[in-house]
Amino acid sequence: EEQIEALKRWWEENGKQTILGIALIVGGYFGWQAWTDHNVEQSSAASLTYQEMLDQFVGATPGEILSEEKQLGVNLLADKLKADYSSTQYAVYAALAKAKLAVENNDLDAAAIELQWAMDNSDAASESIARLRLARVEAARGNLDAALQLVQGVDAGEMKSAYEEAKGDFYLEQGNTAAAYTAYESAMASETSADNSVRGLLNLKIGLVAPAQLEESEAVESELVE
């Protein structure tokens, strides 16, 4: 009887909190399950839409500009991915595809908008790709300072060589051959690709700026001696 009375007192003091705790645990479990199922459904639907978008590129040879009809199809499907599945990586890939088409059509303003969206909504790996492409677009628009700002102070990881090469290109456009030389040298040192054509291009760029860079260094040394 004493145990029964103690249990009654405990239930009066803690019963409501216990029921609430159980309800929260059960509700949390089913809420988490529903959220997981929703994400799976979203990802599956986004994947199908993205594949439909990729189908527009089937049959196109590298460097070939898609027909207006196919470009319209890509853009419509890409906009759908961005609007309905913005939390998925497929939406980021769609924005990158739209930017590519815009560049091919020389619509750099539209390309910049898509690449900025991709930067703002992507994971780290895709963000690095979008950032570098946006820097290239800004340079093409004549915004060299903005282009350099995008690639400076960035931990580009495996893309370090590409980032350094871009810096070299931007510095060269500004007429800063010394900085371009340093950037190209860094790009070469960071290059891990087995593609000899990549190293060959970097060597060519280094050769273009190395004489000027050395001449500037010699001029500085001469002034110091005098």
Side-chain angles (χ1 to χ4, degrees), residues 29 34 51 60 77 104 131 144 185-186 198 202-203 207 223:
Y29 170 78
Q51 184 58 55
L77 290 167
E104 291 175 351
R131 176 181 291 273
L144 290 172
E185 285 279 280
S186 178
V198 175
L202 284 173
N203 273 322
E223 290 178 1

Side-chain angles (χ1 to χ4, degrees), residues 167-168 170-181 209 216:
K167 288 180 191 178
F170 303 155
Y171 282 129
L172 184 58
E173 287 190 60
Q174 287 184 330
N176 190 346
T177 54
Y181 176 79
V209 296
E216 291 176 7

Side-chain angles (χ1 to χ4, degrees), residues 153-190:
V154 177
D155 182 8
E158 295 181 356
M159 295 186 65
K160 181 178 179 181
S161 179
Y163 267 67
E164 292 298 320
E165 182 181 2
K167 288 180 191 178
D169 293 344
F170 303 155
Y171 282 129
L172 184 58
E173 287 190 60
Q174 287 184 330
N176 190 346
T177 54
Y181 176 79
T182 300
Y184 288 146
E185 285 279 280
S186 178
M188 179 64 80
S190 306

Side-chain angles (χ1 to χ4, degrees), residues 95-132:
L96 293 176
K98 283 195 70 177
K100 178 179 181 296
L101 291 181
V103 169
E104 291 175 351
N105 288 301
N106 201 33
D107 189 350
L108 299 182
D109 292 343
I113 291 172
E114 295 299 331
L115 291 170
Q116 185 64 58
W117 190 95
M119 272 184 61
D120 295 339
N121 292 274
S122 63
D123 59 16
S126 297
E127 193 270 347
S128 294
I129 295 172
R131 176 181 291 273
L132 181 58

Side-chain angles (χ1 to χ4, degrees), residues 79-90:
D79 287 339
K80 178 177 176 60
L81 283 165
K82 290 173 61 183
D84 297 344
Y85 310 107
S86 60
S87 62
T88 69
Q89 277 298 109
Y90 295 109

Side-chain angles (χ1 to χ4, degrees), residues 59 72 86 150 163 168 196-197:
L72 178 61
S86 60
L150 280 164
Y163 267 67
N196 291 329
S197 63

Side-chain angles (χ1 to χ4, degrees), residues 30 58 67 81 101 143 166 170 183 189 218 224:
F30 285 107
V58 173
S67 65
L81 283 165
L101 291 181
N143 303 325
F170 303 155
E218 290 173 359
L224 291 174

